[in-house]
Amino acid sequence: MPTTNKLAVIGGGAAGFFAAVNAARLNPDLNVTIFEKSREVLSKVRISGGGRCNVTHHCFDPEVMSRAYPRGSRELRWAFEQFQPADTVSWFEDHGVELKTESDGRMFPTTDDSATIINCLKREADKYNIDVLNRYRVEAVKPTDGSQFTLSIRDHESQMFDTVIIATGGSNRRSTYQWLEDLGHSIVEPVPSLFTFNFKKNIFEDLAGISVANGSVSIEDTSYQHEGPILITHWGLSGPAVLKTSAWAARYLYEQNYDFTIRVNWLYPLNLQEVQRKLKKLRDTNARKTTQKQDTFPIPNRLWNRFLELADIDPKTRWADLSNENIHHLTEQLANASYDIEGKTTYKEEFVTSGGIPLDEVNMGTMESKKVPNLYFAGEVLNIDGITGGYNFQSAWTTGWIAAQNIGSE
């Protein structure tokens, strides 16, 4: 437990701000300073959810919630016992921000404006006289003999603090973590997580924006497979099924240099046999109609016609004229399509990183470093990452809150 009262929070993002305002609330004697290297704090909050801010996910069971994290699941299971989505909802409601739940479980402010969240956190910082310093890049943190820390800051004089929270977020560059290694911590190699797949040969480029509500994506020769909506982009595929797959397979795909093959079932949960039976029934019942018309499968017309072309079927062919071989090829295109992937694209303007500070070097009950007393971590600088849907913000709120409880309690 810290015995003196100067707290530095390095990183002005969700985890940093949440840790700072909660620590200051718990201990009015704390002198809290937030250091942000860029010109704007909470920038990721601003762009999240298309500018609406996906604050958290409507899952109030810590066990179930923890399963959404490819890295950190076991540790967050117990962290969520301290602060989970229900607590996040209550915290923001207590501070004048009401959240709403959408059909997929994502939770947003009722204003549909990320500025609502940003303004709330900034008001709290003002309320507790937290000093927020933009364009202050901390380049080193060095423990002193007197149980304090010296912060070396680019283009500014060094400053002394009693306690430090590192909430700098994730980065795909290993060099970004060198100053943390200098403190004695090891680093799990950072790699991208949560990204879209780029086709090696883009056969759907002109269909960008078309989606299917239920599909499945699997990585060939692995056990990685996830279901959900699939969205066609200008470069390849996105949507929850792809993003979940990218998150769970992040480290594997990095090792493959993002050169791999996926299998897509556009009609999940139907399997190959079920799709084939339905196609044969269409051939029997729609015999005189052309194949370009069907109402059996929930596939947009333009995408359906592309599947016909890929199966070497002229859309003007009558259903009655389809051979069993035609049916077989179309079945494969619909329920077992194979696409070569070459490269990735960051999901919108957001990025999530797998890697960072190993969780076994942190006391997850307090977020304090096991190597350096009075040094704490919060947010994505830890080796924690979740799938899309508000999970990454929730881990930021949770880890920031736990750090604040330990630092701010008398």
Side-chain angles (χ1 to χ4, degrees):
M1 188 72 62
T3 57
T4 45
N5 64 359
K6 286 193 67 178
L7 168 63
V9 178
I10 305 174
F17 252 82
F18 207 63
V21 299
N22 280 290
R25 173 182 57 84
L26 287 166
N27 186 349
D29 293 329
L30 271 179
N31 183 338
V32 183
T33 303
I34 296 175
F35 294 91
E36 170 54 46
K37 65 182 179 181
S38 64
R39 66 182 181 181
E40 181 183 6
V41 296
L42 299 166
S43 58
K44 198 168 181 179
V45 172
R46 186 173 299 281
I47 65 174
S48 164
R52 296 193 298 146
C53 188
N54 186 183
V55 176
T56 187
H57 198 89
H58 192 276
C59 177
F60 299 160
D61 182 331
E63 172 67 33
V64 176
M65 184 71 182
S66 67
R67 296 174 193 161
Y69 297 85
R71 267 69 52 179
S73 176
R74 180 173 59 84
E75 294 83 358
L76 286 174
R77 165 66 181 85
W78 302 110
F80 289 148
E81 294 288 351
Q82 294 190 57
F83 194 89
Q84 58 133 304
D87 300 305
T88 300
V89 173
S90 295
W91 191 94
F92 279 104
E93 285 183 348
D94 289 344
H95 292 81
V97 177
E98 185 179 351
L99 303 182
K100 63 178 181 179
T101 306
E102 300 200 339
S103 59
D104 58 3
R106 293 181 301 161
M107 300 192 73
F108 296 86
T110 54
T111 59
D112 282 326
D113 187 353
S114 60
T116 303
I117 303 300
I118 293 171
N119 293 338
C120 172
L121 293 171
K122 284 184 173 181
R123 280 196 306 270
E124 286 298 292
D126 289 340
K127 178 179 178 180
Y128 295 109
N129 298 313
I130 294 172
D131 197 4
V132 181
L133 302 178
N134 293 322
R135 295 180 173 174
Y136 271 64
R137 181 185 291 272
V138 177
E139 296 187 315
V141 175
K142 297 180 181 179
T144 68
D145 294 338
S147 299
Q148 290 183 305
F149 296 93
T150 300
L151 272 59
S152 298
I153 307 164
R154 181 184 296 179
D155 299 327
H156 297 277
E157 291 184 1
S158 297
Q159 297 189 34
M160 298 285 291
F161 287 87
D162 307 302
T163 309
V164 174
I165 299 176
I166 296 175
T168 48
S171 172
N172 293 336
R173 298 193 305 275
R174 176 61 181 264
S175 60
T176 305
Y177 298 90
Q178 183 58 53
W179 63 294
L180 300 179
E181 290 186 279
D182 293 342
L183 277 165
H185 277 279
S186 53
I187 299 296
V188 177
E189 187 70 29
V191 304
S193 179
L194 210 60
F195 47 84
T196 64
F197 297 163
N198 296 349
F199 282 135
K200 186 174 291 186
K201 180 182 178 182
N202 198 343
I203 55 177
F204 296 126
E205 185 176 8
D206 58 323
L207 302 180
I210 290 178
S211 64
V212 298
N214 294 294
S216 71
V217 176
S218 61
I219 298 174
E220 201 167 78
D221 299 324
T222 76
S223 60
Y224 297 114
Q225 190 264 330
H226 294 276
E227 304 82 39
I230 299 175
L231 171 68
I232 296 173
T233 72
H234 289 289
W235 300 276
L237 295 180
S238 184
V242 169
L243 296 171
K244 284 188 284 188
T245 304
S246 77
W248 286 98
R251 305 202 75 84
Y252 170 79
L253 297 179
Y254 174 79
E255 293 168 359
Q256 303 304 308
N257 198 30
Y258 306 104
D259 190 344
F260 57 101
T261 300
I262 60 172
R263 294 275 175 178
V264 176
N265 180 349
W266 296 91
L267 295 171
Y268 184 85
L270 296 178
N271 59 32
L272 280 166
Q273 291 73 27
E274 291 168 329
V275 172
Q276 188 172 76
R277 280 198 297 271
K278 286 179 177 292
L279 286 172
K280 287 182 176 179
K281 185 176 180 180
L282 272 172
R283 183 173 60 183
D284 294 338
T285 58
N286 285 13
R288 296 184 178 181
K289 295 181 180 179
T290 60
T291 54
Q292 64 187 342
K293 296 181 179 179
Q294 64 84 29
D295 56 12
T296 297
F297 303 111
I299 301 286
N301 288 338
R302 291 174 60 205
L303 182 57
W304 172 261
N305 284 320
R306 182 59 47 83
F307 288 141
L308 290 174
E309 294 170 15
L310 292 171
D312 292 324
I313 298 172
D314 187 327
K316 295 181 180 179
T317 302
R318 294 190 312 161
W319 279 102
D321 295 332
L322 289 188
S323 65
N324 285 338
E325 184 177 6
N326 290 146
I327 294 289
H328 169 75
H329 289 318
L330 184 53
T331 301
E332 288 289 322
Q333 292 297 329
L334 293 170
N336 191 36
S338 175
Y339 307 115
D340 291 330
I341 304 299
E342 186 177 59
K344 59 179 175 52
T345 299
T346 300
Y347 176 53
K348 296 183 179 178
E349 294 181 35
E350 304 173 41
F351 71 89
V352 174
T353 302
S354 162
I357 299 294
L359 301 188
D360 61 3
E361 295 182 5
V362 177
N363 180 342
M364 293 296 289
T366 64
M367 296 300 147
E368 186 175 13
S369 166
K370 292 180 180 179
K371 294 180 176 291
V372 184
N374 292 335
L375 177 70
Y376 293 78
F377 294 97
E380 205 185 328
V381 69
L382 295 161
N383 184 28
I384 292 174
D385 62 287
I387 61 175
T388 184
Y391 298 100
N392 288 293
F393 271 137
Q394 183 57 52
S395 63
W397 310 132
T398 294
T399 54
W401 189 88
I402 292 174
Q405 296 307 296
N406 196 62
I407 294 167
S409 299
E410 296 182 355

